[in-house]
């Protein structure tokens, strides 16, 4: 349970770099790089199992593209990151061990520009690159860890409702917790400074940071105990806002156009809100009254809502309008194929997936959709060719391994199917499930000598890793 508290603690603790000693061996004495990575994988196991985790490859792909654009211009761009979405209407984001950064759907919808969203993501990246977790652990001794473990479960629940966290802290060793919170303002200032630098180097509007935080601060004046979640986990001060504004005013003015990806993702989220009928009505009215920043994105959201409402004929008519653009955005190509698939036109869906995969070979959501459509059409051998090709490029993709498991199951390859399920589970941080799956595959006895030997070696590797984790 320690892993969950550490996840939350990073969200609420952020130390001016100049006021801190070098990290080195001292700060890693109790929390090594390897331990942080192990902790990060264990955290993501819980995240993936949480019903609030939004398993949407298209939105996740966008967020990772935006995140890595910022990481590439950060001070420590050699670190690995994983950006994911939490289906929660509150305005919040949080960083966790292992470079895992969560963003609430509420934040995506509340941001008035892509630069505002980028400013929050950059702030969270700075928490990770500055090793704030390692610094926090280094400031304590190991005897403090059991206290953190006792709080972990309550603090996991508090990510979307920080009021729960307040209650949990009040009922435990509040003094120790307060010692951690004493540094939060300094950590936040450091994250602001480095996040701002990433924002400007990444080509975003530097005013996005001050604009977003100022708007949150103004909104906070009208709240009582239900202040925006981001303010309760990232304490704002007038000094911090003034510093952001001063940096923005000193920067040369430049108008930054938000990407179509940003608009499409927001339209996708809006179309999934409320009932299908209400979503269709809202999207139809927005188009009719021209209440949109991008007509393409508004029409994309309309089609998404129409598919939800099973109004396939109108959806196809709208899809034709979207496909008239040149070039066709990969998210639109994906939507067109899924619209045909939902309407029962398997041949058209496969044709669109194939065209999209060829036009955008690096866009993995289209590759997932293509493989799924091939499996739905019982074209298992073609699906295997596709999934093997993708896994050769992206061997650490848990979704591809899951599709590989389905493909091998359809082909009757029991060992390979269980092995693929095991790989997916391991990449999701669940080594216990991985060991169970690969053991089932070994017992199936239908693999070649080479496949069986590889599976047994993999099981031994996972067993040793899982045993060492249990020993900590």
């Amino acid at each position: 349970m320690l892993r969950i508290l550490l996840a939350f603690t990073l969200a609420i603790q952020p130390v001016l770099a100049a006021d801190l000693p070098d990290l080195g061996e001292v700060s890693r004495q109790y929390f090594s790089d390897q331990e942080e990575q192990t902790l990060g994988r264990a955290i993501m196991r819980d995240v993936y199992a949480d019903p609030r985790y939004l398993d949407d490859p298209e939105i996740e792909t966008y967020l990772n593209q935006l995140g890595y654009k910022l990481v590439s211009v950060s001070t420590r761009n050699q670190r690995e990151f994983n950006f994911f979405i939490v289906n929660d209407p509150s305005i919040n984001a949080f960083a966790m061990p292992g470079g895992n950064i969560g963003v609430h759907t509420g934040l995506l919808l509340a941001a008035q520009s892509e630069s505002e969203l980028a400013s929050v993501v950059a702030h969270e990246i700075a928490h990770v690159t500055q090793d704030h977790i390692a610094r926090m652990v280094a400031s304590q001794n190991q005897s403090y860890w059991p206290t953190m473990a006792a709080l972990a479960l309550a603090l996991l629940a508090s990510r979307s409702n920080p009021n729960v966290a307040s209650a949990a802290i009040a009922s435990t060793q509040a003094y120790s917790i307060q010692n951690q919170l004493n540094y939060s303002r300094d950590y936040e200032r450091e994250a602001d400074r480095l996040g701002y630098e990433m924002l400007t180097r990444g080509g975003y509007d530097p005013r996005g940071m001050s604009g977003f935080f100022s708007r949150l601060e103004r909104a906070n004046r009208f709240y009582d105990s239900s202040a925006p979640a981001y303010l309760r986990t990232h304490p704002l001060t007038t000094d911090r806002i003034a510093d952001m504004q001063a940096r923005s005013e000193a920067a040369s003015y430049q108008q930054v156009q938000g990407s179509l990806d940003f608009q499409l993702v927001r339209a996708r989220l809006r179309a999934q809100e409320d009932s299908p009928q209400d979503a269709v009505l809202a999207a139809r009215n927005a188009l009719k009254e021209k209440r949109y920043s991008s007509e393409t994105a508004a029409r994309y959201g309309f089609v998404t809502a129409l598919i939800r409402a099973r109004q396939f004929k109108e959806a196809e008519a709208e899809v034709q309008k979207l496909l008239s653009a040149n070039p066709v955005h990969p998210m639109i190509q994906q939507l067109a194929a899924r619209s045909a698939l939902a309407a029962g036109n398997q041949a058209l869906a496969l044709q669109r997936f194939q065209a999209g995969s060829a036009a955008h070979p690096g866009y993995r959501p289209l590759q997932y959709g293509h493989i799924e459509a091939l499996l739905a059409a019982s074209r298992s051998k073609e699906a295997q060719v596709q999934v093997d090709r993708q896994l050769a490029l992206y061997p650490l993709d848990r979704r591809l391994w899951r599709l590989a498991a389905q493909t091998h199951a359809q082909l009757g390859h029991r060992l390979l199917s269980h092995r693929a399920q095991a790989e997916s589970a391991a990449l999701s941080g669940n080594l216990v499930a991985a060991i169970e799956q690969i053991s089932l595959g070994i017992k199936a006895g239908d693999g070649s000598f080479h496949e069986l030997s590889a599976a047994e070696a993999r099981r031994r590797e996972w067993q040793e890793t899982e045993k060492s984790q249990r020993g900590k």
Side-chain angles (χ1 to χ4, degrees):
M1 289 192 299
L2 165 63
R3 61 181 181 273
I4 304 168
L5 179 54
L6 283 175
F8 177 79
T9 306
L10 181 56
I12 59 175
Q13 328 284 348
V15 173
L16 203 57
D19 297 335
L20 290 167
D22 288 340
L23 283 172
E25 294 300 319
V26 176
S27 62
R28 288 296 184 181
Q29 182 179 356
Y30 302 119
F31 196 45
S32 68
D33 288 334
Q34 184 177 0
E35 286 173 327
E36 182 178 351
Q37 290 303 317
T38 299
L39 193 57
R41 286 191 292 270
I43 288 169
M44 291 312 297
R45 176 196 64 202
D46 293 337
V47 167
Y48 293 139
D50 194 310
R52 292 173 296 172
Y53 166 68
L54 184 60
D55 189 5
D56 188 310
E58 289 162 273
I59 299 178
E60 198 168 287
T61 294
Y62 163 71
L63 191 61
N64 274 272
Q65 288 172 342
L66 180 142
Y68 267 103
K69 182 179 179 181
L70 293 165
V71 169
S72 68
V73 294
S74 72
T75 54
R76 299 185 184 179
N77 54 22
Q78 72 276 14
R79 293 199 59 153
E80 290 186 7
F81 284 79
N82 172 47
F83 301 87
F84 62 94
I85 310 293
V86 177
N87 192 10
D88 191 302
S90 61
I91 302 172
N92 210 351
F94 51 93
M96 302 195 295
N100 296 301
I101 293 178
V103 173
H104 286 204
T105 53
L107 174 60
L108 276 162
L109 292 172
Q112 293 183 1
S113 69
E114 191 169 32
S115 292
E116 288 193 354
L117 173 63
S119 73
V120 178
V121 174
H123 182 100
E124 300 306 321
I125 291 170
H127 284 322
V128 176
T129 61
Q130 295 311 108
D131 290 306
H132 286 160
I133 293 179
R135 289 172 171 177
M136 181 270 293
V137 174
S139 68
Q140 301 292 324
N141 57 42
Q142 288 178 308
S143 66
Y144 180 67
W145 287 25
T147 303
M148 296 171 72
L151 279 171
L153 208 54
L155 288 173
L156 175 63
S158 76
R159 285 187 306 191
S160 292
N161 183 1
N163 286 332
V164 178
S166 300
I169 291 172
S171 62
T172 57
Q173 298 182 25
Y175 179 74
S176 296
I177 295 297
Q178 187 58 49
N179 285 339
Q180 294 299 304
L181 294 175
N182 286 341
Y183 298 97
S184 64
R185 291 182 179 180
D186 287 336
Y187 275 117
E188 289 291 274
R189 288 191 192 99
E190 183 177 46
D192 288 342
R193 178 175 59 81
L194 295 177
Y196 181 88
E197 290 175 5
M198 277 182 259
L199 201 62
T200 53
R201 289 174 186 166
Y204 294 101
D205 184 353
R207 290 165 178 76
M209 179 174 282
S210 60
F212 179 77
F213 286 108
S214 295
R215 197 167 69 253
L216 276 188
E217 196 274 336
R218 287 195 300 272
N220 187 41
R221 299 172 189 172
F222 300 99
Y223 288 90
D224 185 12
S225 60
S226 57
Y230 198 82
L231 296 187
R232 283 173 282 157
T233 56
H234 297 72
L236 268 176
T237 63
T238 54
D239 288 345
R240 279 183 60 205
I241 293 176
D243 183 54
M244 293 181 212
Q245 290 173 337
R247 290 176 185 273
S248 297
E249 290 169 3
S252 57
Y253 177 75
Q254 55 178 341
Q255 188 171 7
V256 179
Q257 186 76 26
S259 70
L260 177 58
D261 304 66
F262 173 68
Q263 299 293 347
L264 290 173
V265 162
R266 284 160 53 84
R268 182 176 178 83
L269 285 173
R270 288 196 194 96
Q272 293 170 352
E273 293 180 328
D274 305 320
S275 70
Q277 292 73 26
D278 288 344
V280 167
L281 181 62
R284 192 190 303 278
N285 288 339
L287 270 172
K288 183 179 179 180
E289 298 166 13
K290 297 188 177 182
R291 289 184 285 104
Y292 48 70
S293 300
S294 162
E295 182 179 352
T296 299
R299 203 168 297 282
Y300 173 93
F302 187 33
V303 174
T304 304
L306 287 169
I307 294 172
R308 280 186 66 203
R310 304 187 63 79
Q311 298 180 29
F312 301 127
K313 186 176 180 180
E314 188 174 4
E316 180 59 28
E318 293 295 325
V319 161
Q320 293 298 328
K321 297 175 185 176
L322 287 170
L323 291 177
S324 64
N326 187 23
V328 179
H329 191 281
M331 284 183 68
I332 291 173
Q333 189 71 52
Q334 174 93 325
L335 181 69
R338 291 207 178 278
S339 176
L341 198 61
N345 194 337
Q346 207 168 67
L348 179 59
L350 279 168
Q351 179 185 329
R352 286 174 173 173
F353 273 126
Q354 188 170 2
S357 297
H360 308 281
Y363 190 67
R364 273 186 265 180
L366 264 173
Q367 308 301 331
Y368 303 147
H370 192 190
I371 295 165
E372 289 168 355
L374 288 169
L375 290 173
S378 297
R379 293 164 62 170
S380 314
K381 291 185 178 179
E382 293 176 64
Q384 184 178 356
V385 171
Q386 287 289 102
V387 80
D388 287 348
R389 183 182 297 137
Q390 290 300 308
L391 279 172
L393 296 171
Y394 311 108
L396 302 181
D397 189 320
R398 61 190 175 83
R399 291 189 176 95
L400 283 174
W401 280 111
R402 199 160 58 213
L403 288 169
Q406 295 172 29
T407 302
H408 286 300
Q410 202 170 91
L411 289 166
H413 304 158
R414 290 178 293 169
L415 168 58
L416 294 178
S417 179
H418 285 295
R419 164 75 188 272
Q421 287 183 61
E423 294 287 353
S424 180
L427 288 166
S428 299
N430 195 338
L431 286 182
V432 173
I435 293 166
E436 289 175 355
Q437 282 296 326
I438 207 161
S439 297
L440 288 171
I442 291 169
K443 289 177 183 177
D446 68 336
S448 67
F449 174 78
H450 173 74
E451 290 166 348
L452 189 61
S453 298
E456 288 174 339
R458 199 70 164 132
R459 179 171 65 175
R460 286 194 299 272
E461 177 188 340
W462 286 332
Q463 285 173 332
E464 290 172 5
T465 303
E466 198 274 331
K467 183 179 178 180
S468 67
Q469 289 179 9
R470 276 190 288 114
K472 290 190 181 298

